[in-house]
Amino acid sequence: MKKVLSMIFATSAAAIGLFFAGSAYASASTIVTVKSGDTVWGISQQYNSSVKAIESANNLQDANVITVGQQLTIPSANSSSNTQGSAHVAAATTTAQQTQSYSQPTQSTQSTQATTQSSQASTTTATSGSVAQQAAQLMEQKTGVSASTWMAISYRESRNNPTAQNPSSTAHGLYQSLYTTSNDWCEQVNDAARLYHSQGMGAWALN
């Protein structure tokens, strides 16, 4: 909201500047009637202007060809500066607007990326929890030991992560088995069930 207000103020200030610049230009111009002996260069010096500005203001093809009685519009040097300043202000305003329009999609993109990453993290957590619960229920069917007990074991051993790897041994998966390196939780359940039937709960230091 602050950026929007700042942009409105900047645009308004630029518009006001252009208005006053245009007014200054209009009031700074002078009408001169050419007299005998006058030259464009001499008139430009007298009225603090330039030959190029007078040529442009009066559409003169040749600054050396003017006639007695001819009326010339003489823009002052200040009006030329004001006109250039107005152009700079307009250019700066346009640049600021473009910068603002380009920055907003970037912020929107960053926000979208952050939301996507957050959603992915939430999905991963939910999936891990769901896998651990399904594995615990299947272990209960295969061993007769309650699912809550297997949930407690998988949480203690791997924090319910089927890809967990013990850095100091080959223990792997939900139940940190030494006999499988598969990330497939179903295979990990089958391996844990075989281990239970051969060693009982002692395999997980539970008797």
Side-chain angles (χ1 to χ4, degrees):
M1 184 63 182
K2 291 181 179 180
K3 290 185 178 181
V4 174
L5 291 176
S6 298
M7 202 63 205
I8 293 174
F9 292 148
T11 305
S12 299
I16 293 172
L18 290 171
F19 173 78
F20 283 113
S23 299
Y25 178 83
S27 61
S29 298
T30 303
I31 303 298
V32 173
T33 301
V34 177
K35 301 185 298 295
S36 178
D38 281 345
T39 64
V40 172
W41 183 86
I43 294 172
S44 71
Q45 297 302 300
Q46 182 180 354
Y47 290 94
N48 190 29
S49 186
S50 67
V51 173
K52 184 175 182 180
I54 295 174
E55 283 181 330
S56 177
N58 296 276
N59 297 319
L60 297 178
Q61 299 297 321
D62 187 347
N64 296 317
V65 180
I66 55 176
T67 59
V68 175
Q70 181 179 356
Q71 289 189 330
L72 298 176
T73 299
I74 312 299
S76 70
N78 288 337
S79 69
S80 298
S81 298
N82 287 336
T83 301
Q84 294 175 353
S86 300
H88 290 313
V89 170
T93 302
T94 301
T95 301
Q97 291 173 336
Q98 291 174 342
T99 301
Q100 179 72 6
S101 65
Y102 288 137
S103 65
Q104 288 177 347
T106 300
Q107 293 172 352
S108 177
T109 301
Q110 291 174 346
S111 177
T112 301
Q113 291 174 344
T115 301
T116 301
Q117 291 173 352
S118 176
S119 298
Q120 289 174 343
S122 299
T123 301
T124 300
T125 301
T127 302
S128 296
S130 176
V131 165
Q133 290 173 354
Q134 292 179 56
Q137 292 170 0
L138 191 55
M139 283 297 292
E140 181 178 8
Q141 295 175 16
K142 288 178 176 291
T143 64
V145 178
S146 67
S148 60
T149 299
W150 289 113
M151 281 293 294
I153 292 174
S154 67
Y155 182 79
R156 184 191 68 183
E157 297 292 333
S158 66
R159 293 298 187 269
N160 295 337
N161 182 3
T163 64
Q165 177 70 49
N166 190 321
S168 61
S169 70
T170 59
H172 184 82
L174 288 170
Y175 306 108
Q176 290 295 283
S177 171
L178 296 172
Y179 305 104
T180 181
T181 58
S182 172
N183 290 331
D184 183 348
W185 67 271
C186 292
E187 186 172 335
Q188 292 172 19
V189 166
N190 291 333
D191 182 75
R194 285 194 299 268
L195 186 61
Y196 170 79
H197 288 300
S198 63
Q199 299 182 28
M201 298 304 289
W204 293 275
L206 295 175
N207 293 313

